[in-house]
Amino acid sequence: DLLGWDNQTKAVLVGVGNLGTALLGYQGFENLGLRIAGAFDQDPAKIGKWIQGRKVQSISHLAAFVRRGGIRLGVLTVPATAAQATADIMIHAGIRGIWNFSPVRLEVPAGIVTQKEDLAEGLAVLSHKLQHLPPTESVRQA
């Protein structure tokens, strides 16, 4: 209740590449109160296709979809070269919180919140921890 997981939050995902597709298919979000209501991309080869149960729409339809659904949260999974421009489009469309999976620190106006997920940083932390494990004489088989 304190974290707001008992309330459902609708979100849009922008960037339906490999990572975006994986996030669209992740069932665990529903348990945390997050429902990705729409998927958007600029690639004509993806627009109109059904991916993980959602029809990919053109990013040009984002603002109308956000307004119609009262959506405030966006998931950003685009390449670095498109990250800031796409974030700007999302903000202009009415998104107020961006869960950023791109490798870019976004510049956003006051009143917009972001959470950056850096997969490379996570790998670096894991590798560091792995290097500092005590040596083992044998590895147990699962």
Side-chain angles (χ1 to χ4, degrees), residues 14 59 76-92 98 100 102-109 112 114:
V14 181
I59 196 162
L76 182 65
T77 56
V78 299
T81 55
Q84 185 64 57
T86 305
D88 293 344
I89 291 168
M90 293 169 78
I91 293 165
H92 187 304
I98 299 174
N100 179 17
S102 77
V104 171
R105 275 217 193 278
L106 301 173
E107 297 291 326
V108 299
I112 304 297
T114 63

Side-chain angles (χ1 to χ4, degrees), residues 25-34:
Y26 180 60
Q27 300 299 310
F29 291 142
E30 294 279 340
N31 296 333
L32 301 175
L34 176 67

Side-chain angles (χ1 to χ4, degrees), residues 10-51:
K10 292 187 293 185
V12 291
L13 182 136
V14 181
V16 190
N18 292 331
L19 180 57
T21 297
L23 292 175
L24 284 173
Y26 180 60
Q27 300 299 310
F29 291 142
E30 294 279 340
N31 296 333
L32 301 175
L34 176 67
R35 184 172 68 85
I36 298 177
F40 296 83
D41 206 289
Q42 68 175 4
D43 183 353
K46 293 177 185 167
I47 296 168
K49 290 193 174 176
W50 286 85
I51 297 178

